[in-house]
Amino acid sequence: MENHKASRLDDKTLLEILALSQDATAIYTGDDIIIEMANDKMISFWGKDRSVIGKPVLEAVPELRGQEFFPLMQQVWRTGVTYEARKAAASLNVRGVIETFYFEFIYRAIKRPDGSMLCVLHTATDVTEQVLGRQRLQEKEEEVSTLNRHLNEANNELKAAAVEMRASNNELANTNDKLEHTNAELLRTQKNILQLNAQVSLSESIFRSFFEQAALGIAWLNGPNQVIEAVNEPLLKIWGRTLNDVLGKPHREARPELEDQPVFDLLDKVYQTGIPKVNTEMRLFLKSGDTLREVFVNSVYSPIINAEGKVSGVLATVDDVTDRVKERLQREVLQEQLRVTVESAELGTWYFDGKTNELVASPRVKELFGFYADEPMTLDQAIAQIQEDYREMVIAAMDATVQRNRIYDVEYPIVGYHDGNVRWVKAFGQLYYAGDGSAPQFSGVLIDITNRKNEENRKNDFIAIVSHELKTPLTTAKGFTQLLKAKAQKAEDTFLSNSLLKIEQQIEKMTMLIKSFLDVARLEAGKIQLNKQPFEMSELLSECVTEARSLSQSHELIIAHADVVTINADRDKIAQVVSNLLSNAIKYSPKGKLVEITCTHEAGVLKVSVRDEGMGVKPHDQPRLFDRFYRVESKHTLTISGFGIGLYLCAEIIQMHNGQIGVESKVGEGSTFYFTLPLE
Ligand code: ADP
């Protein structure tokens, strides 16, 4: 303990060691804060000398008065609680200048073992440099951020400037565009001028070649005397003169043949008034060799105006239209003749105007429809007067002409609009093409056929009555013949029964004939109607063959081929057609020859053909065989009886079924008559 005590440093030494500390150090005691000790560092802080030792701090360092330090020191002395401060600012007098310093310092309360205060140990580190450095840093940072701000602002300004620049750039570009546009326009104008120039020289050359090559006659008559300054070849030709005859001469002198004609006066008038004159189809007599010829010309006399605005001459253009005019006049004569013919024949004429969709009818047509000649009649009004049963047929025929260019040829009765009388007419027409690409015109004539129709009707009525009257006795005769035949067979009288069979066959033929006449009459009166029913065609063919064989055994009748087809048609009428074709085949081919029937069907159409090995039909007769009462006249047919109505009836019946009938034939080899029927 002693050792320990002996080795302990005395107070003075301790203080001296403390005085060497790098940190500023001072020791205070008492309530007045007497500076017991202060090392050099502290003394230099204060900016004093060692004389401060032993003095109260406020006395030694008066600058501290009013600063926070003294009360703090007193507080530590009085309370014994250490006070620590970081970065305290102190204003100190350094060589006569008050400066601010920054310190980190501790006022440490040093106590005796009994707890009473011994002293206050003051250590301080000068952090002025650090603080100032940080401050500078801060200032720098602030500067930087200000700078940044400025930069930002500058940037924004730049941006704004850029926008403005762009705007002015655009403006510049626009101005540029405008300039380019103006430039292009200038170029165009220049081009136009060039073109105009070219055109001017072109029109000059065109005029020259026009003058020289024109089909039109052109002459330049100069001055009041109309001196012929220039005249082209076509006009010389019209004038009937040569260039030498006329060039340089006054017009009146050059062409004396015009003296009593209107040309000179008209030209004078144009020269005097300056008003052009147009002449259409002017009739003149012009020089042609030693005589004059009749000429028609279209001409224009135009005044030539000089730079002073005065008439200096006349330009005459002349077109010789003689041929055209004469042709037209001729046509007009022909038309007039036709008109007279049409009128005297009481033909009505009409046309359908495709542009206005109007019917243009002559007075006669209107009359036939029962209208007054001078009142209007539309197509609808005309159609309404057609008798109802025929109206659709007429409209269909008109459509067929307009749409399919068919010949329009129809007969129909009209009920007169005002008088209510029934008149029969035949209308005939077709499409006419103008040849200029315009729509064709549908036109034609209308003829009153009432008398003929009445005649026909009377004839048909007569045939119907006669046929009917003939049928009754024939039926009786047939009945008795059959009775007699039965009796003869019973009595085994072969001769008698054969004779009676022949009579019966003849009666049958006659019945058929009368039936045909009745059919024709009925057909024409529109009284034949179809009674359709489904039936098997091959069966019908067998029946017809059997019947034909019973009437005549002179030929070999065979069914070569028959498809089994059911057809919906009028069975009796089709049987009539087949029987007719069979009987013709027998009638018009030599005895013993083959007659062959075939029945096929394909693509919804049934076809029945009857082929014979007979005399055949010449090509020019073939299309007419199906006309009413048509018979081929030759030495072969002379001996064969008939009226020429069988095929006509066949054709009508097939047509009513919407089928077709026809013939293929070679003279001397045979014929094939066929008909087709649509399979529904
Ligand atoms: P028809 O036999 O009563 O004279 P059709 O109307 O049946 O009347 O025949 C018209 C004409 O057609 C006949 O006159 C005849 O000249 C000719 N013809 C008809 N069928 C044949 C045939 N199979 N071969 C040659 N000619 C025929």
Side-chain angles (χ1 to χ4, degrees), residues 88-120:
S91 304
L92 295 172
N93 187 344
V94 181
R95 285 176 290 277
V97 182
I98 302 287
E99 284 183 40
T100 301
F101 293 86
Y102 294 91
F103 300 97
E104 268 180 21
F105 66 89
I106 301 174
Y107 295 147
R108 193 175 295 281
I110 309 286
K111 293 178 185 170
R112 288 191 190 89
D114 64 1
S116 61
M117 278 298 289
L118 177 67
C119 63
V120 175

Side-chain angles (χ1 to χ4, degrees), residues 171-183:
E171 250 171 56
L172 265 173
N174 275 346
T175 321
N176 216 7
D177 274 357
K178 275 184 202 159
L179 272 172
E180 268 176 23
H181 193 70
T182 321
N183 230 356

Side-chain angles (χ1 to χ4, degrees), residues 372-395:
Y372 302 129
D374 54 359
E375 77 184 319
M377 179 185 79
T378 64
L379 179 66
D380 286 343
Q381 281 176 318
I383 286 174
Q385 298 315 121
I386 297 173
Q387 220 174 53
E388 212 182 322
D389 299 347
Y390 290 81
R391 212 173 285 150
E392 243 173 68
M393 180 274 289
V394 176
I395 292 170

Side-chain angles (χ1 to χ4, degrees), residues 52 89 232 469:
V52 296
N232 69 355
E469 290 304 314

Side-chain angles (χ1 to χ4, degrees), residues 580-581 584-585 587-588 612 615-617 625 627 630-632 637 641-648 671 673:
N580 214 303
L581 296 184
N584 277 354
K587 223 159 78 171
Y588 297 102
D612 65 49
M615 61 178 69
V617 187
L625 295 184
D627 289 352
Y630 188 81
R631 302 204 70 218
V632 176
T637 55
S641 66
F643 292 99
I645 52 171
L647 286 181
Y648 165 71
S671 314
F673 282 81

Side-chain angles (χ1 to χ4, degrees), residues 496-513:
L496 205 61
S497 57
N498 275 349
S499 305
L500 286 167
L501 181 68
K502 290 261 155 64
I503 294 174
E504 198 193 349
Q505 283 173 350
Q506 291 307 314
I507 290 174
E508 188 57 35
K509 265 192 189 172
M510 220 155 148
T511 315
M512 293 278 284
L513 209 60

Side-chain angles (χ1 to χ4, degrees), residues 555-558 585 589-590 592-596 611-614:
H555 291 70
E556 192 188 344
L557 300 188
I558 60 160
S589 59
K593 289 288 182 185
L594 180 74
V595 175
E596 193 183 81
R611 189 176 76 83
D612 65 49
E613 299 170 338

